[in-house]
Amino acid sequence: MDISSIKKGYIMKKYDLDRKKTYLKEKLGSKSSLFIIKSEMNNIIATYLPYNLEFVYIPEGVYNKGLSEEEKIQARKINNEICFNECDMELKKDIHVSNILVTRTPILNSFAKRYIDFEFYKGEENFAAYLKKESIDSLCKQLNLRLPTEIEWEYFARAGSTDLFSFGKQLPNDDELEKWLSFDFNDLSCINSNEFGLYGIYTGEWCSDYYQKNSYLPQTKEFVIKGGGAYFWPWQADEWIWCMSAMRMSSKELIDGECGFRLVYDLN
């Protein structure tokens, strides 16, 4: 797709399902035989047959990364005293993201234990797998897949939204929040997804980037973690901030150095 055709804030419209499907098959080329491609609701789902992994097609687009002034206003309507680490959510405008496939849910325990030796495996089968970075790197090497970058993660979490959260400007009631924050991915019809059809974006996830507070400071040896609102649920005080699309932290803050993750299949 010609990037010159992309306008500011543009993402392929919902009614372009046939166009998306055709374009995805073209990008996959001979590898399209490795996928079962279908449309579901307003999104394209591609099941990668070698590993029986469900991916969602994320169309290219342009977005503004980080915390905007409007989002700060939205957050202070929830708590007028909320303080932000401004440099840690530095606003960067007009960022382009290429077409990719992203796993529909975080990688689950049932999948990860097929490829990784869980010495102390205790997780529920259909819950997000929490692993150390080195274990995930090993898995990525085996599968020839990768972690998303922070830019990719925030882009597909926002799914075209410019609001504070992927579900809007305000926090919904607890019953609705439970559908966003569930760790149980056994029945996706019981929980909520964002506009790209991604589930579990608040379980907390590894990104591939080294962490730095802003573009003027050096990188650290730690990695970027995004999401996390579900991990802290039920919340104490202002832990809802971990559902903010712009929110980020260093992996040095992780308990036991473990976190959830999803994987990317490159189309370019």
Side-chain angles (χ1 to χ4, degrees):
M1 184 176 300
D2 183 4
I3 186 173
S4 65
S5 68
I6 301 174
K7 299 178 181 179
K8 181 179 178 182
Y10 173 81
I11 294 173
M12 274 193 190
K13 302 301 183 183
K14 295 177 181 179
Y15 53 77
D16 288 332
L17 283 177
D18 289 340
R19 182 183 173 197
K20 289 179 184 178
K21 189 181 292 186
T22 299
Y23 181 73
L24 176 56
K25 288 180 178 179
E26 289 175 352
K27 292 295 289 183
L28 288 169
S30 61
K31 294 181 179 179
S32 63
S33 63
L34 299 176
F35 291 84
I36 295 176
I37 300 173
K38 64 180 182 179
S39 57
E40 187 170 306
M41 300 296 288
N42 297 309
N43 299 293
I44 301 298
I45 310 300
T47 302
Y48 190 33
L49 296 175
Y51 306 117
N52 195 31
L53 267 179
E54 279 195 328
F55 287 83
V56 174
Y57 170 54
I58 308 297
E60 68 183 336
V62 177
Y63 85 115
N64 293 337
K65 176 184 179 297
L67 195 67
S68 67
E69 291 301 319
E70 178 58 33
E71 287 177 294
K72 293 175 190 175
I73 292 170
Q74 293 169 15
R76 290 189 173 112
K77 286 181 179 178
I78 299 173
N79 182 348
N80 190 49
E81 297 180 357
I82 193 74
C83 293
F84 302 110
N85 186 338
E86 303 292 351
C87 68
D88 214 17
M89 290 178 283
E90 180 184 22
L91 184 64
K92 297 180 180 179
K93 295 186 176 182
D94 300 340
I95 295 178
H96 171 252
V97 182
S98 299
N99 300 277
I100 54 174
L101 293 175
V102 177
T103 48
R104 197 178 190 187
T105 69
I107 296 301
L108 307 182
N109 285 315
S110 56
F111 181 86
K113 72 176 184 178
R114 282 191 266 157
Y115 300 94
I116 298 173
D117 181 17
F118 276 88
E119 185 177 356
F120 303 106
Y121 176 75
K122 298 178 182 178
E124 296 283 347
E125 290 277 305
N126 294 301
F127 279 43
Y130 277 69
L131 300 176
K132 296 182 186 299
K133 182 67 164 50
E134 51 267 31
S135 294
I136 297 170
D137 289 341
S138 175
L139 179 63
C140 288
K141 187 175 182 179
Q142 290 182 65
L143 305 183
N144 196 28
L145 300 172
R146 65 173 175 85
L147 288 171
T149 66
E150 180 181 4
I151 284 173
E152 289 170 336
W153 193 99
E154 187 170 327
Y155 172 77
F156 63 63
R158 288 183 180 275
S161 171
T162 57
D163 291 332
L164 188 64
F165 311 108
S166 61
F167 46 72
K169 297 179 174 63
Q170 296 291 326
L171 296 171
N173 61 44
D174 285 359
D175 288 343
E176 191 66 15
L177 274 172
E178 292 279 1
K179 295 178 183 179
W180 284 100
L181 305 178
S182 175
F183 277 87
D184 187 352
F185 299 96
N186 182 58
D187 184 355
L188 297 185
S189 68
C190 295
I191 59 178
N192 288 341
S193 68
N194 71 359
E195 287 296 310
F196 277 162
L198 296 173
Y199 295 83
I201 56 176
Y202 298 120
T203 55
E205 298 183 7
W206 289 96
C207 295
S208 62
D209 310 64
Y210 285 112
Y211 176 84
Q212 60 184 128
K213 280 189 173 293
N214 62 33
S215 56
Y216 304 103
L217 295 174
Q219 292 178 341
T220 67
K221 297 295 184 181
E222 309 301 328
F223 290 87
V224 174
I225 304 295
K226 296 287 284 185
Y231 184 86
F232 297 109
W233 179 260
W235 298 323
Q236 304 293 319
D238 293 328
E239 289 175 336
W240 55 266
I241 64 174
W242 292 101
C243 288
M244 290 165 42
S245 299
M247 197 66 184
R248 62 199 297 270
M249 67 179 248
S250 166
S251 59
K252 71 179 180 181
E253 306 296 333
L254 293 174
I255 298 173
D256 298 326
E258 297 178 338
C259 194
F261 63 107
R262 67 182 74 222
L263 297 175
V264 170
Y265 183 101
D266 284 309
L267 294 173
N268 296 323

